[in-house]
Structure formats: structure tokens, C-alpha cells
Amino acid sequence: MTVSNRAEQELNSGEVTRLKIMDAAESLIIQHGFAATSLRAIANAADVNLAATHYHFGSKQGLLESVFHRRMRPVGIARLGALSALESGKAALTVDAILKAFFMPFYDAEGSELLTILPGLVARIYAEPAVLTQPLLEKEFSQVASRFVAALQKTCPGVSEQEMRWRFHFMVGSMIQFLRFQAPMGLVNEADGFRDGLDRLVNYSVAGIEQLGVVE
Amino acid sequence: MTVSNRAEQELNSGEVTRLKIMDAAESLIIQHGFAATSLRAIANAADVNLAATHYHFGSKQGLLESVFHRRMRPVGIARLGALSALESGKAALTVDAILKAFFMPFYDAEGSELLTILPGLVARIYAEPAVLTQPLLEKEFSQVASRFVAALQKTCPGVSEQEMRWRFHFMVGSMIQFLRFQAPMGLVNEADGFRDGLDRLVNYSVAGIEQLGVVE
DNA sequence: CTTAAATTAAAACGGTCGTTTGAATCAAAT
DNA sequence: ATTTGATTCAAACGACCGTTTTAATTTAAG
């Protein structure tokens, strides 16, 4: 059997169990957080034996890392890809375009099941106690952040790298808030609510990063 | 014994225990989160019998609510007071001044021990699973938010209440991010780091809320 | 078919969890 | 001094935790 087209390839029993565990863990972790989600609850939701969690992931922490890694790596790749495409294009770089590249994974996920997962998972990474997730964040996110900060700096001459990293920091905070709660408290979101909120987030962030109106 | 000056009044045994428990719980919850903090760890850190936690707070959830309430009510009061003082003053309202009123509790806390507590606690409220803290947030925060949104709207004619609530939503996200991580990843914060970050947060948020430079 | 490896299964390990109980101790008022 | 209520204490409750062990079962290769 060749390794070529893995999409059509049938998964062996072990891989199927691995996926069932990760899916169940992902859903429960999003709902209740990492500490409050037990391996027994995960195994039960996945319809899998409890020991399978340790067989496939070694430990609860190992499962957490796998769950986060599976979703976050494609996000980072999509972001870097979108930014590279932007930089190699002929159009001039704008803050608006760069931020849309950063939010690309969420624009892309519209209409897919990913939209019910990605926001909750990203938000949870930032919500868990730092000792659990800081290594994951550092590993998966820091180089992506650096690339975007550098790109943003090019469009805002006169803004130091340090200052731009602060602004990027605040922008990420707004993004997390949006992913976590979607609309503000008491504001219901209608039909195409996610796209609407995302566009508002872009506008808000562009203003914050450019800071054209602020007088010192 | 009169009730007048409670500051000099000695606390009876029960109140002292209550405070010791809340102090210990606060510190541990900030460090490890609610689910990962056990009542035994709290009682141990407070040098108090385990059963005292249930005697004084009824349940773990009850303790959580008391811990949050104790710090958050003064924050809300300080914010509303600062905003009222602003509105009854003769100077024209500005977004900058309103936001500084909103951040007032953190400006005030500079140099006090509160600065080691408030940021971590506020950040944790937003980090815990929604089912735990959403009632607390709704109760303690929503009316304060409404007052500030209304004030901001007056300084930005043409911005609907709904739109301003979104911008305020994003601003809160940036604030949480700052309170939780202080400086961006990999950026160390020197001597007067907190004040510096707070000022950057104000500038960023003013730009986002006014959105002067954004072309649709 | 046989054999070896990969995977699943059931059961138990020692611990810790939130909560409850009932007696002991303390404080203040009669 | 005695009584009453508030508070503290040690101990235990049943339940659940992450992890490990051992054996059964399935899968794939010789």
C-alpha cells in the first residue's frame, strides 16, 4: 500500500480510537476547561476504554497537547500562508489586509464545523492557567506573532517594534474576547453573526494599530 | 460598642477566619484556577480547619462568589464614581477621560498590594468556564458597562449604541489580555511597567473606540 | 496456520475531592 | 456560674481522580 493519498486510505483501528478520543476531549475541554474534564468523561464520551487514553497519549497533559496541536498548527500555517501571499503580491501592504490575513483561519472556517470548535479552543488556551498552556502558546504562536508584527511595522513607519508588539498584544486580547463571547453581553447575534463580529473586530483593531487619531 | 469606626474595631473570631479563608482562596485561585484549587489546599494555606470553609461559605461555589464579590464591588463603585465625577465636571467629556475613569481602579491600585491581586482576579473571572462566572459577571459588571457605553456614545456622535457596545467589548478584551499577561510575550517590563502598559492600553483603546482613521 | 505485535479490556492502585456529621471548645449574656 | 449560641475540630462519607497492571483480543506478517 502506497503512502500517497492518505485521504482515501482507511484508518486502522488505533488511529480511529485516537481520533475519537481527541474529538471527545476537545469538546469537553471547550465546555468545562481542562482541569474540570476527567479522562473517564472523555473515554465515556468517545465510547472507548479508559486505558486507551493513556495508551495513545501517555498522560492527560499529553492528550491536551495533542488536542491543541491538531487545531493550532493549521491555524498558524494558514496565517503565515496568507501573509506570505500578501507580501508577494503587487498591492501595497495595509494594516487592514494584514489583519484579515491573521484572522484568515476564522474567515475560512465560516460555514464549516470548524467554526464551532476553533473559537472555543483558541479562547480556552488563553483561559487555562498559564503553567499549562504557556509552553504550547510559545511554541505554536510566538513565531507567527513575530512575522505579523514585522509586517505591521512596515505599514506604520515610526512605530517601534516594541510599541507594535504591544498593539498586537491588545489586538489579540480583543480577538480572544470575541472568540470567547462572540457578541457583547446581552447582544444577540443574528444570522451571519460571526462574520459581522469579525468585520467589526477588524475595524476596531485597524484603528488601534494605526492609532491615527490619538494625540499624546 | 458603637458601629461607627469599624476600622479600629476588633474582629471577632468568625470574621477573622472568614478573611483568612478568602485571602488564601483568592491567592490560590489566581495561581491555579478555580477547578484546580481544592478546599483542603485553601484551608491549609489559611491555617484553618477544612470544615470552616463550608461553615462560613456553604460550598466551594459560594466561596468563589464571595472572593470575587469582595474585590469586584469596590471596582465597580470606583468606576461609577470616577465617571460621575467626570460627568458633573465642567470639562468636556473625552474618550480618553472616560477610559481612564474605567481603568481608575488600576491606576488607584498602583503601589498597593491590590495591584498583585486585582489584575489576576479580574483576568481569572474571564478565564473560568462561563457557567461558573457568567452570573457573577452579569450581576457585577453589566450595569457598569452600560453606563460607560452611554457616556462613550455621547462623545462619538453617529455611533449607534450597538456599535459602541461592540467596541467596548473589544476594549474589555484588550484590558483582560493586559491584566492577564501584562507585557506581550517575550517583552520584559521594567520598573514602572504597569503604569506604562496601562497608558499604552488607553491609547490603543481610544483609537479603537473613536475609529477616526478607519475607512470603510 | 502460526507467530509477533498492536490494541483493547477489566480491574485495581493509592490519593484527593466536596461535603457532612457530631462532639469539643469558645464567647458572651443571663 | 450557668446557659446559650457561635465557632472550631477530627473524622469519616461516598465518589471520582490519573495512572498502572495484567490479561484478553484483534491485527498484520511470516
Side-chain angles (χ1 to χ4, degrees):
Chain A
M1 180 189 299
T2 69
V3 205
S4 48
N5 49 355
R6 291 198 54 190
E8 305 176 7
Q9 171 185 345
E10 295 190 3
L11 302 161
N12 63 34
S13 163
E15 291 172 2
V16 136
T17 300
R18 251 187 84 93
L19 288 181
K20 286 202 294 182
I21 293 174
M22 289 178 74
D23 288 345
E26 180 175 74
S27 164
L28 290 174
I29 288 175
I30 289 175
Q31 288 176 61
H32 309 115
F34 178 66
T37 299
S38 71
L39 289 176
R40 281 174 174 82
I42 293 171
N44 187 61
D47 199 29
V48 145
N49 189 274
L50 166 62
T53 58
H54 278 82
Y55 177 78
H56 287 281
F57 300 96
S59 70
K60 194 186 180 187
Q61 168 86 21
L63 172 56
L64 173 75
E65 288 172 15
S66 295
V67 164
F68 282 164
H69 203 69
R70 168 172 70 149
R71 302 294 184 190
M72 288 307 117
R73 199 177 44 191
V75 165
I77 290 173
R79 282 171 168 163
L80 290 180
L83 180 58
S84 290
L86 211 62
E87 288 175 328
S88 62
K90 58 181 178 183
L93 279 186
T94 66
V95 172
D96 182 86
I98 293 173
L99 287 188
K100 275 170 179 155
F102 187 75
F103 296 141
M104 175 66 68
F106 303 107
Y107 281 114
D108 278 356
E110 259 202 298
S112 102
E113 52 147 14
L114 257 187
L115 205 58
T116 67
I117 293 173
L118 264 189
L121 197 63
V122 172
R124 188 128 297 286
I125 296 186
Y126 283 86
E128 294 293 337
V131 58
L132 265 183
T133 56
Q134 196 133 338
L136 298 177
L137 270 180
E138 202 102 10
K139 184 171 203 168
E140 203 79 64
F141 186 66
S142 73
Q143 70 168 349
V144 175
S146 293
R147 286 266 286 115
F148 273 84
V149 166
L152 287 170
Q153 238 192 302
K154 269 186 230 156
T155 73
C156 303
V159 177
S160 71
E161 185 203 332
Q162 167 172 310
E163 169 65 20
M164 190 54 85
R165 294 205 14 209
W166 274 99
R167 297 182 188 179
F168 189 79
H169 189 55
F170 296 138
M171 182 272 286
V172 168
S174 298
M175 181 191 72
I176 302 295
Q177 182 84 346
F178 170 62
L179 295 179
R180 182 152 165 67
F181 298 99
Q182 311 262 48
M185 256 173 33
L187 228 66
V188 283
N189 233 6
E190 304 95 50
D192 55 350
F194 189 82
R195 175 59 171 269
D196 176 58
L198 211 46
D199 288 335
R200 290 181 200 267
L201 174 60
V202 170
N203 284 337
Y204 183 88
S205 305
V206 166
I209 284 178
E210 291 182 337
Q211 252 173 70
L212 296 182
V214 176
V215 290
E216 193 60 42
Chain B
M1 180 188 300
T2 69
V3 206
S4 48
N5 49 355
R6 292 199 52 189
E8 304 176 9
Q9 172 184 343
E10 294 190 3
L11 302 161
N12 63 36
S13 162
E15 291 172 1
V16 133
T17 301
R18 251 187 84 91
L19 287 182
K20 285 202 295 182
I21 293 174
M22 289 178 73
D23 288 344
E26 181 176 75
S27 164
L28 290 174
I29 288 174
I30 289 175
Q31 288 177 59
H32 309 114
F34 178 66
T37 300
S38 71
L39 289 176
R40 281 175 175 81
I42 293 171
N44 187 62
D47 199 29
V48 147
N49 188 274
L50 166 61
T53 59
H54 279 82
Y55 178 79
H56 287 282
F57 300 96
S59 69
K60 193 185 180 188
Q61 168 88 19
L63 173 56
L64 173 75
E65 289 172 15
S66 294
V67 164
F68 282 165
H69 202 69
R70 168 172 70 151
R71 302 294 184 189
M72 287 306 117
R73 199 176 45 189
V75 165
I77 290 173
R79 282 171 168 163
L80 290 179
L83 181 56
S84 290
L86 212 63
E87 288 174 327
S88 62
K90 59 181 179 183
L93 280 184
T94 65
V95 173
D96 182 85
I98 294 173
L99 287 187
K100 274 171 180 155
F102 187 75
F103 297 141
M104 176 65 69
F106 302 107
Y107 281 114
D108 277 356
E110 260 201 300
S112 101
E113 52 148 16
L114 258 187
L115 205 59
T116 66
I117 294 175
L118 264 189
L121 197 63
V122 172
R124 188 128 299 286
I125 296 186
Y126 283 86
E128 293 294 335
V131 58
L132 266 183
T133 55
Q134 196 133 338
L136 299 177
L137 271 180
E138 202 101 10
K139 185 171 202 170
E140 204 77 65
F141 187 66
S142 73
Q143 70 167 348
V144 175
S146 293
R147 287 264 287 113
F148 273 84
V149 167
L152 287 170
Q153 240 193 298
K154 272 187 229 153
T155 72
C156 302
V159 177
S160 71
E161 185 203 334
Q162 168 172 311
E163 169 65 19
M164 190 53 85
R165 297 217 354 223
W166 274 98
R167 296 183 189 179
F168 189 79
H169 189 55
F170 297 137
M171 183 273 286
V172 169
S174 299
M175 181 191 71
I176 302 295
Q177 182 84 347
F178 170 62
L179 294 179
R180 181 152 166 66
F181 298 98
Q182 311 262 45
M185 256 171 34
L187 227 66
V188 283
N189 233 6
E190 305 94 51
D192 56 350
F194 191 83
R195 176 59 172 268
D196 177 58
L198 212 44
D199 288 336
R200 291 181 201 265
L201 174 60
V202 169
N203 285 337
Y204 182 88
S205 304
V206 167
I209 284 178
E210 290 180 339
Q211 251 173 69
L212 295 183
V214 176
V215 291
E216 192 61 39

